[in-house]
Amino acid sequence: MKINSNNPEKKGRNKKCGEIVLTFASLALVLAACGSSSTASSNPPSASATSGNLTWWASPIAQVGIRADLISNFEKAYPKIHVTLQSAPTNTDTNRSQLVTEISGGSTSPDVFMGDVIWPAQFGAHGLAVPLSKYLPSSYFTKFAPGLVSGATYNGQVYGSPLFEDQGFLYYRKDLLAKANLPVPTTWSQLESESLTLEHDGLVQYGYVWEGASYEGLTCNFMEYLASAGGTVTNSTYTKANLTSPSAVKAVTFMRSLVTSGASPAAVTTFQEPQAMAVFDSGNAAFLRNWDYAWSNSQTPADSKVVGEVGVAPLPTFTGNSYPGYSNIGGWNLYINPHSKNLAIDLTFIKWMSSTAAQDILGKTYSEIPTVESVRLALASLSSTPPPLKIAAQTKLVPRPAGTPNYPALSSAIYSNVNSALSGSTSVNAALASAQSKAATALAGGI
Ligand code: GLC
């Protein structure tokens, strides 16, 4: 494995790629041969797909080690394939815009990219990813957990091979709740009041930390409150936005109250996942909203002062009788650059990433929810499995409205305005009116 830094423009292609140069015309033939197997191990792909080089664009997401771990295991299974890692930005928005610039500029690198689950419509509509379903048989896609493949599909083609799923969870400090004799909160108002109690009792500096910065992660948090309040962002055909609904007002009013009451620090309006996780892991917050992978960070002594003190539960709701609350569906897929010269190798890599070996690494070591249903079920029943994977089946899931190619502008309409309301620079109603009007423009194809 080689590791490159962020800018693929500056990285030379490995000349060995020439050994397996394929034109798109010849690809279909080669891939018809290798694409008929559901996994590399059960039916090895053609010889042309077992040697060569590929560049893989992937962000650290959970922990830096995750990518090297996967690559070294892949290279053990395919000793004649060499993978060069291109380290992508952690922020999904920055990550996407860099890739869009590269790929729309015709760059042949990266070959394979780890991309967000919200990208298929945009990337599919604009020719920024290879339609995998043209090269992989439908039997390949049946092993994934229900819903993941349809989420990776746009206009009848599957663009992403699900790598891992993320769901939002509530992390809490077991020791602090025990000291204050408080239960794990099941409603949002209980979470707020317990946060204030723990702060006032001097047990912890901050109550609840989450992702409130002006970026995609805030849309994810907003979706959870919105669904809990019974709302949706758009109608089912993406022709109308619903962002001034009473549910949206309820959601953002509550989010803002977390800041004004002091249950959350004002700085949450600048937190992305790593900052929220760092405050919790340093022992300075009682509660954290984050993805499944935050478990592995919280239990890694080098990253965390709260090893052994952390519990995980589904997110709360607005009304206790509807517990558990909604978790947004996140996660990352593997996509292929349409300009890649290594499509057969790329497919070998992608297929290996959905093998039991790869999915076990993601689940057991990094507490990422496996996308392959059989691995997910097997891990959920093991006592040593990270807790988020065990309770993943209990959560209610809400997807983002990412079925439209205009999702980036739609999400930006949400997170930029909700962030203004959180920081108090705009009232909740004015922020939602602005979000509604920007969302309408986005749905009409504008930005
Ligand atoms: C996580 C999720 C991804 C989401 C992002 C937001 O990486 O997996 O789907 O867009 O967080 O920050």
Side-chain angles (χ1 to χ4, degrees):
M1 174 188 64
K2 287 184 226 137
I3 299 185
N4 278 347
S5 67
N6 278 347
N7 190 344
E9 279 287 70
K10 297 196 175 134
K11 309 299 161 201
R13 300 280 295 159
N14 190 319
K15 294 291 179 244
K16 281 191 182 167
C17 299
E19 289 167 11
I20 53 152
V21 164
L22 298 170
T23 63
F24 264 89
S26 63
L27 275 174
L29 294 174
V30 172
L31 295 169
C34 69
S36 58
S37 64
S38 60
T39 62
S41 55
S42 64
N43 186 4
S46 65
S48 63
T50 56
S51 68
N53 299 276
L54 77 91
T55 48
W56 181 35
W57 167 275
S59 61
I61 296 287
Q63 291 183 31
V64 190
I66 194 168
R67 300 163 301 177
D69 210 356
L70 289 168
I71 291 172
S72 77
N73 279 282
F74 171 75
E75 288 181 345
K76 269 183 214 140
Y78 289 93
K80 293 189 182 155
I81 300 181
H82 301 288
V83 179
T84 299
L85 175 67
Q86 293 183 334
S87 191
T90 309
N91 178 323
T92 183
D93 306 319
T94 319
N95 185 331
R96 183 190 61 226
S97 57
Q98 286 188 14
L99 267 177
V100 169
T101 305
E102 291 301 324
I103 298 174
S104 49
S107 174
T108 53
S109 177
D111 295 299
V112 176
F113 54 95
M114 191 175 96
D116 207 315
V117 292
I118 50 177
W119 295 358
Q122 183 198 5
F123 279 58
H126 298 291
L128 298 167
V130 168
L132 298 180
S133 40
K134 286 204 169 144
Y135 304 108
L136 293 167
S138 54
S139 59
Y140 172 79
F141 294 104
T142 56
K143 64 180 160 181
F144 295 107
L148 300 183
V149 174
S150 59
T153 301
Y154 177 70
N155 227 355
Q157 295 289 342
V158 189
Y159 287 90
S161 179
L163 179 62
F164 58 82
E165 185 186 328
D166 282 332
Q167 295 180 12
F169 288 98
L170 179 70
Y171 293 87
Y172 58 90
R173 286 278 301 284
K174 290 189 290 191
D175 55 334
L176 299 182
L177 292 187
K179 267 188 207 159
N181 204 15
L182 293 171
V184 177
T186 57
T187 65
W188 291 118
S189 60
Q190 193 183 8
L191 172 65
E192 184 170 35
S193 67
E194 290 190 13
S195 294
L196 293 169
T197 302
L198 292 166
E199 288 173 20
H200 293 156
D201 288 356
L203 289 171
V204 70
Q205 190 175 2
Y206 304 123
Y208 181 41
V209 291
W210 41 286
E211 297 78 34
S214 182
Y215 82 119
E216 181 62 26
L218 176 53
T219 299
C220 301
N221 281 246
F222 168 72
M223 290 306 303
E224 290 162 349
Y225 296 100
L226 181 69
S228 169
T232 57
V233 171
T234 67
N235 62 356
S236 60
T237 49
Y238 294 102
T239 51
K240 186 178 170 305
N242 296 327
L243 289 167
T244 48
S245 69
S247 306
V249 173
K250 181 173 180 175
V252 181
T253 302
F254 178 75
M255 294 168 86
R256 168 71 178 149
S257 88
L258 287 169
V259 178
T260 52
S261 69
S264 296
V268 288
T269 60
T270 64
F271 284 180
Q272 299 182 15
E273 286 86 356
Q275 290 82 35
M277 200 153 68
V279 170
F280 184 79
D281 288 350
S282 65
N284 292 329
F287 301 105
L288 164 74
R289 182 269 173 210
N290 216 310
W291 306 103
D292 27 75
Y293 63 76
W295 170 262
S296 70
N297 295 70
S298 78
Q299 300 308 303
T300 303
D303 297 331
S304 171
K305 290 191 180 144
V306 292
V307 177
E309 306 289 8
V310 179
V312 192
L315 288 165
T317 59
F318 278 111
T319 48
N321 60 6
S322 59
Y323 185 77
Y326 281 92
S327 295
N328 181 235
I329 307 175
W332 292 72
N333 297 329
L334 291 173
Y335 301 83
I336 297 179
N337 177 354
H339 309 296
S340 170
K341 299 280 188 277
N342 304 320
L343 189 47
I345 298 286
D346 302 343
L347 289 168
T348 299
F349 183 68
I350 283 184
K351 287 198 273 185
W352 182 83
M353 287 287 189
S354 66
S355 67
T356 301
Q359 294 278 306
D360 261 352
I361 294 172
L362 285 161
K364 287 183 182 159
T365 314
Y366 297 101
S367 62
E368 287 290 6
I369 301 171
T371 50
V372 172
E373 181 76 342
S374 58
V375 178
R376 184 189 290 213
L377 294 175
L379 288 191
S381 63
L382 285 184
S383 59
S384 55
T385 294
L389 275 59
K390 291 190 180 197
I391 60 170
Q394 294 169 23
T395 57
K396 289 188 200 126
L397 295 172
V398 57
R400 281 162 278 172
T404 161
N406 303 322
Y407 177 73
L410 179 60
S411 182
S412 163
I414 295 169
Y415 64 68
S416 57
N417 288 294
V418 173
N419 180 263
S420 302
L422 292 179
S423 64
S425 59
T426 317
S427 70
V428 169
N429 285 332
L432 286 171
S434 165
Q436 172 74 5
S437 122
K438 293 220 165 63
T441 308
L443 292 177
I447 48 171

